Amino acid sequence: NQQRLFNSVIGSGKELAQGFMDYADQLEQTPGSEDLAQHLRAASEWQIKVTEFAFGLNHQLKSFSDDARAFVDEDLAAAKKCEKNYEKTVAARNNIQSRLQSASGAEKQKLQSEYDEVQAEFEQCEKETVEKWKYVSERSKLMLESNLQKYWKQYATYFKQGHSFFTHLRKTDAGVYSSKATERLQTDFSKPLMRDSIHRKDSARRRGRADSTVGTTVFATPLMTVAARDNRDIPLAIEKSMDFIEQHALQAEGLLRISGGAAKVNEWKKIADGGGCPEFDPQGNVHNVSGFFKLYLREMPEPLCTFAMYPRLVALNDTRDVAQRVADARALFSLVPRCNVALLKRLMTLFRRVTAHSADNRMGADNIAIVIAPNIMWAREPSPSTMVADMQASN
């Protein structure tokens, strides 16, 4: 029941976060509504964190359920089997012991020999049964303690993130909590004509606002910022580089693996950060183009597969059921911003087309995973002790 509740929270939370973001996009087209739009973006960001929290708890409950099922199917079943064997030997021993009381001569000697054998079996079964139930008792306690620690850790992380989020928000832009923003929200909802103006297509105003607020940088700039500024989920220069590879470079040996020239890649980076789009030459070094968008991925302030996703993506390998693993992955990716999903989908389309030419370019799915995974996912605080295992899991 709790898992069904969390699934409902995850679904509605995702819709609510997207609704906040969509309305913020619309409000930015209305002069004087920037504070309110920023407020809504903050609400969307926090709603995503709340939804991630629900997803994390749901995943933990499922993990506990899987552990409990394995415990019942394996450990508890083995203990019960030992106990049944013990009960059989007790019954056999008691039966022989009863017959011994009335036996005599050769028959008594024969029964005594049988009794000695059953007694030895009884003592062995008794020992195994005690050990099994002792193990079951200790195993159940450890399993419960471990899962409860993980469960409470989810809550601790959630409250810690909440405190950090709102503290940072108050320091960076206290205006979103001002009465002016609240009054503006009430005004927008009370004037139907303003909602009509929100939906007007005014490309010139959008371009002017983008240039005057957050500049033109693409590299080392949050993807959501670039998407909101340019009114597109994938930066133009990055999308054009992937289009170019599909049109001109799919048969190039070592595609995505061989590094491009740093000078040319940095030249194109400056063009993109200046608001332009590089011209890629089909006669030039195609590895420069793949190096260009890989550099973009590496320089993202937060990886495309976000910090919050990283431990959960790695943990997916612990799910033994493939169908469940796919379902968990889909649920996890439903929590990330729309622009992240759009770029991930575009990358997957490119990689699928690259693998279709693996006979020429020598880049199958495994090779692509090894090359690309470190560029799209990494831990917020990498641990040397788990880095290798995490890298294998991410691949």
Side-chain angles (χ1 to χ4, degrees):
N1 289 336
Q2 195 168 7
Q3 284 185 316
R4 285 196 293 271
L5 175 61
F6 281 136
N7 284 330
S8 175
V9 170
I10 290 169
S12 60
K14 176 190 171 187
E15 293 177 3
L16 182 59
Q18 190 61 57
F20 283 147
M21 188 63 69
D22 290 343
Y23 189 50
D25 290 343
Q26 295 170 355
L27 278 176
E28 284 193 342
Q29 300 177 32
T30 304
S33 297
E34 289 81 2
D35 285 348
L36 181 54
Q38 190 171 1
H39 194 151
L40 285 169
R41 288 191 186 282
S44 176
E45 185 179 348
W46 176 245
Q47 186 58 49
I48 289 173
K49 291 184 181 295
V50 172
T51 309
E52 288 176 346
F53 166 65
F55 179 86
L57 282 183
N58 191 37
H59 180 79
Q60 187 54 47
L61 284 172
K62 182 186 176 302
S63 175
F64 179 69
S65 177
D66 291 343
D67 286 349
R69 188 177 298 111
F71 171 74
V72 170
D73 293 344
E74 298 170 10
D75 301 328
L76 193 59
K80 287 184 176 180
K81 184 178 179 180
C82 278
E83 187 174 11
K84 285 184 178 180
N85 289 336
Y86 169 74
E87 291 173 351
K88 287 181 180 179
T89 58
V90 169
R93 189 190 66 166
N94 291 343
N95 177 264
I96 295 174
Q97 196 171 28
S98 175
R99 291 162 59 194
L100 267 172
Q101 293 177 359
S102 59
S104 61
E107 182 184 2
K108 183 173 184 179
Q109 186 176 1
K110 181 181 177 182
L111 287 174
Q112 184 63 51
S113 178
E114 291 179 5
Y115 178 84
D116 292 341
E117 291 179 4
V118 172
Q119 178 65 23
E121 186 179 352
F122 163 78
E123 291 174 356
Q124 181 64 28
C125 283
E126 184 179 43
K127 180 180 178 182
E128 289 180 358
T129 302
V130 171
E131 289 177 350
K132 283 288 184 183
W133 280 111
K134 182 179 179 181
Y135 172 79
V136 164
S137 177
E138 293 175 351
R139 175 79 174 85
S140 62
K141 289 179 182 177
L142 287 173
M143 182 179 65
L144 185 60
E145 289 175 3
S146 174
N147 280 279
L148 281 176
Q149 285 177 358
K150 293 176 183 178
Y151 189 79
W152 294 127
K153 187 176 180 180
Q154 289 284 344
Y155 273 99
T157 301
Y158 171 64
F159 288 118
K160 183 178 179 180
Q161 286 181 342
H163 180 268
S164 176
F165 177 83
F166 288 108
T167 300
H168 175 72
L169 200 59
R170 287 189 181 97
K171 289 180 179 178
T172 56
D173 192 355
V176 296
Y177 294 95
S178 67
S179 58
K180 178 182 177 181
T182 304
E183 292 170 3
R184 187 65 190 175
L185 179 62
Q186 295 170 345
T187 303
D188 282 347
F189 275 106
S190 65
K191 293 184 178 180
L193 290 179
M194 181 171 289
R195 285 199 294 273
D196 294 336
S197 70
I198 287 174
H199 294 282
R200 288 203 304 266
K201 303 295 183 181
D202 190 345
S203 58
R205 183 192 303 162
R206 285 199 301 270
R207 287 195 300 272
R209 187 181 66 253
D211 292 340
S212 64
T213 55
V214 291
T216 59
T217 57
V218 173
F219 283 71
T221 303
L223 180 57
M224 288 184 68
T225 300
V226 178
R229 181 194 70 202
D230 298 346
N231 198 32
R232 55 181 298 123
D233 289 330
I234 304 174
L236 179 61
I238 304 306
E239 187 160 27
K240 290 293 184 183
S241 68
M242 290 187 282
D243 291 343
F244 175 89
I245 289 174
E246 291 177 341
Q247 295 167 12
H248 303 287
L250 290 178
Q251 295 180 339
E253 184 172 348
L255 180 62
L256 302 176
R257 175 176 57 80
I258 297 176
S259 301
K264 178 58 71 174
V265 169
N266 286 325
E267 177 187 328
W268 289 340
K269 174 184 174 182
K270 289 180 181 178
I271 293 173
D273 281 344
C277 185
E279 293 292 333
F280 306 118
D281 182 5
Q283 304 302 319
N285 184 352
V286 295
H287 300 299
N288 290 342
V289 185
S290 62
F292 173 70
F293 81 74
K294 284 195 297 181
L295 178 65
Y296 168 75
L297 294 173
R298 287 197 303 274
E299 291 193 356
M300 293 180 72
E302 182 167 10
L304 193 56
C305 297
T306 62
F307 290 130
M309 289 176 65
Y310 182 82
R312 295 167 189 169
L313 282 172
V314 173
L316 285 179
N317 281 322
D318 296 332
T319 302
R320 288 168 286 189
D321 185 275
V322 176
Q324 186 60 53
R325 188 189 306 171
V326 171
D328 288 347
R330 286 177 176 169
L332 183 55
F333 278 101
S334 72
L335 302 177
V336 302
R338 181 181 61 194
C339 50
N340 290 53
V341 174
L343 181 50
L344 279 167
K345 286 183 176 179
R346 182 65 186 86
L347 285 170
M348 293 305 111
T349 299
L350 170 62
F351 300 155
R352 187 168 60 250
R353 290 171 180 168
V354 171
T355 58
H357 293 78
S358 60
D360 298 311
N361 58 42
R362 310 289 185 184
M363 292 300 291
D366 290 343
N367 289 339
I368 291 177
I370 291 171
V371 171
I372 295 298
N375 293 283
I376 63 174
M377 59 182 293
W378 59 85
R380 188 189 303 272
E381 297 178 358
S383 170
S385 61
T386 62
M387 193 175 295
V388 174
D390 286 355
M391 188 177 298
Q392 291 174 342
S394 66
N395 291 340

